[in-house]
Amino acid sequence: MEMEDEKEDMISTLPDEILSHILSFLPTEVAFTTSLLSKRWKPIWLLVPNLNFDDQRFMNRGKPYFRFMDMIYYVICAKIKHRKLIKRFDLKCHENPVNESLETAVLKWLIIADKYGMEHLEFQGSDRLNFYNFIFAFSNLIVLKLKTVRVNYFLPVDFPSLKTLHLNDVFIAEHWYLCELVNSCPILEDFEAKDISVRYWLQEYNGKFKRLTNLVRADISNLNSCDVPIGAFSNVEFLRIEEMYGHVPVFPNLTHVELVFQRNVDWCWVLGVLEKFPKLQTLVLEMPQLLTSVKSFISIPSISPECLSSQFKECNITNYRGQEYELQFARYIMLNSTHLRRMTICSSSSMNCEEKLAMQMELLSFPKSSALCQIYFK
């Protein structure tokens, strides 16, 4: 008992800044309960600049939904009363038992958080809620991450400080909404867009994507080239993209690229696109999960892309089946990459042990230009 008391005393003697930093990693309702420990702990949770609420945590404990809303309301009121900052707000509303009241409440919560310094907002909604358009009015945001959000209408947008924009499972009524949103982020550094669905594409819209000159990272999937031209992201150092075909501009700063194929793979195109990545260091090719028709090499280039003979260090191929076109590509990479350090082959789950062993032996027999190249199998 004395040992426990000593430990408790040691923790309680830590400065407020350290204690509040520790609490910032906890859900807000858990951080709040520390105020019941003693008078020393009573004000500490208010110093935490983060709010983190997830209605699933309440529902999984068998609590009614209004308890979730009451908790947020109490915390917001306490922040206002004591004039404490709200720098980050993580809010997940999966359920929708009280549609209109929840929409109104969320609007109030976020508006208050914005007034108290909100710079980081992560919001996850549900398909049945329709209060999302006002989110784009928070011009002080540095980080905005939205998931399962419906954008039925669009308000004028201005995000002069936004550096991170992640859109996941977002429904957009008209394609120009996305164009205007991205164009409103002049210093954007990190852009992610996955499972974006657009209801209407209007040909009469004359707006154009601005080139994002500060962008360092882009992770893009299921975006039509009419919605997001790939040239807008050509400044990035990291690119992960699904289904990139057609014309590809030069990416002068790109060092890491991940190409994800859901359907056919045109290997001639893959080799050709490497010429657009002169500083490439890491290449990841994710083959289709299901075996589909493909195009094998028509001809091997007589001159290898510049990136393979300079600083190219690593190549990963996933869902590898050891078919002729894959073998040709792997052999070409090892033969022409003078500085290659690591070749990683992740075989398809459909291959049996004998097939994997035969594939490994064949790959190990290929000549390599780099004496430092190691081949790894998974």
Side-chain angles (χ1 to χ4, degrees):
M1 182 66 70
E2 291 182 1
M3 288 292 292
E4 292 180 359
D5 292 340
E6 290 179 4
K7 290 180 180 179
E8 182 179 351
D9 290 338
M10 290 178 60
I11 296 175
S12 297
T13 58
L14 293 173
D16 290 356
E17 294 78 9
I18 294 179
L19 292 178
S20 62
H21 180 69
I22 294 172
L23 294 186
S24 69
F25 295 97
L26 301 175
T28 298
E29 65 269 20
V30 176
F32 167 74
T33 59
T34 62
S35 64
L36 305 176
L37 296 175
S38 66
K39 291 183 179 180
R40 170 73 179 92
W41 283 89
K42 188 172 183 179
I44 301 300
W45 75 277
L46 285 168
L47 301 177
V48 178
N50 306 341
L51 296 182
N52 184 320
F53 295 103
D54 184 341
D55 60 3
Q56 288 292 299
R57 292 197 296 261
F58 281 75
M59 302 297 285
N60 290 340
R61 293 199 295 266
K63 295 185 177 182
Y65 204 85
F66 73 85
R67 293 291 188 188
F68 170 71
M69 298 178 63
D70 286 348
M71 179 66 190
I72 300 179
Y73 178 76
Y74 176 83
V75 169
I76 293 286
C77 288
K79 287 281 188 178
I80 295 174
K81 180 180 178 180
H82 296 278
R83 299 182 180 276
K84 299 302 181 181
L85 292 175
I86 303 174
K87 288 292 187 179
R88 173 170 176 165
F89 202 154
D90 294 84
L91 178 61
K92 295 181 179 180
C93 299
H94 307 81
E95 301 293 331
N96 188 28
V98 282
N99 192 343
E100 294 183 2
S101 59
L102 180 59
E103 293 173 7
T104 303
V106 172
L107 173 57
K108 292 180 180 178
W109 298 336
L110 294 184
I111 288 176
I112 292 172
D114 182 58
K115 291 181 179 179
Y116 280 79
M118 182 173 63
E119 297 176 346
H120 185 134
L121 172 60
E122 296 190 25
F123 176 75
Q124 179 174 343
S126 72
D127 293 333
R128 294 171 290 178
L129 294 177
N130 295 287
F131 52 77
Y132 309 117
N133 308 292
F134 64 84
I135 289 174
F136 301 122
F138 301 144
S139 59
N140 294 321
L141 289 175
I142 297 175
V143 176
L144 176 59
K145 299 182 180 182
L146 304 177
K147 184 175 182 179
T148 317
V149 165
R150 296 180 64 86
V151 183
N152 293 317
Y153 304 98
F154 197 73
L155 300 174
V157 177
D158 182 21
F159 285 136
S161 304
L162 197 70
K163 294 184 178 181
T164 299
L165 176 62
H166 290 185
L167 306 174
N168 193 329
D169 188 20
V170 174
F171 169 85
I172 298 175
E174 298 186 27
H175 85 284
W176 65 268
Y177 294 176
L178 183 60
C179 181
E180 291 296 324
L181 174 58
V182 175
N183 285 343
S184 71
C185 310
I187 64 170
L188 194 65
E189 298 176 359
D190 181 355
F191 179 66
E192 184 175 300
K194 296 184 177 181
D195 298 322
I196 306 297
S197 55
V198 180
R199 179 187 294 169
Y200 299 117
W201 187 79
L202 302 177
Q203 293 185 347
E204 61 268 23
Y205 175 68
N206 296 320
K208 295 182 179 180
F209 265 93
K210 299 176 182 177
R211 189 168 178 269
L212 299 169
T213 57
N214 285 50
L215 199 66
V216 176
R217 177 184 180 277
D219 187 347
I220 308 166
S221 67
N222 301 335
L223 282 180
N224 189 289
S225 61
C226 297
D227 301 320
V228 183
I230 191 63
F233 310 117
S234 60
N235 190 65
V236 295
E237 297 175 11
F238 175 100
L239 176 66
R240 184 179 187 277
I241 189 166
E242 295 184 18
E243 304 298 332
M244 180 170 67
Y245 295 104
H247 174 72
V248 178
V250 174
F251 284 71
N253 303 315
L254 191 68
T255 60
H256 182 115
V257 64
E258 300 181 9
L259 303 178
V260 182
F261 299 96
Q262 300 293 345
R263 297 185 295 274
N264 296 350
V265 181
D266 185 336
W267 289 91
C268 292
W269 178 89
V270 173
L271 270 182
V273 82
L274 292 181
E275 299 177 356
K276 306 298 180 71
F277 310 145
K279 294 184 178 180
L280 188 64
Q281 297 179 18
T282 301
L283 170 65
V284 178
L285 296 180
E286 187 173 325
M287 298 295 100
Q289 291 284 347
L290 299 176
L291 186 60
T292 58
S293 59
V294 296
K295 295 182 180 179
S296 299
F297 291 152
I298 298 175
S299 62
I300 298 296
S302 57
I303 301 177
S304 63
E306 177 185 350
C307 67
L308 297 186
S309 59
S310 56
Q311 47 200 342
F312 187 64
K313 300 293 192 304
E314 184 173 351
C315 180
N316 300 331
I317 305 178
T318 65
N319 294 322
Y320 186 93
R321 293 180 174 83
Q323 298 189 359
E324 182 61 29
Y325 53 86
E326 294 172 326
L327 289 169
Q328 285 180 309
F329 182 81
R331 182 171 185 168
Y332 177 83
I333 291 294
M334 287 189 281
L335 185 61
N336 291 276
S337 303
T338 57
H339 291 74
L340 189 66
R341 297 290 185 89
R342 185 184 183 98
M343 185 80 172
T344 303
I345 304 296
C346 301
S347 59
S348 170
S349 58
S350 63
M351 297 180 67
N352 59 43
C353 294
E354 292 182 359
E355 291 173 329
K356 290 180 180 180
L357 180 60
M359 174 264 293
Q360 293 175 10
M361 296 301 295
E362 187 165 20
L363 286 169
L364 290 171
S365 70
F366 288 164
K368 301 186 292 287
S369 292
S370 173
L372 299 177
C373 179
Q374 298 292 322
I375 302 179
Y376 298 88
F377 301 97
K378 294 183 179 179

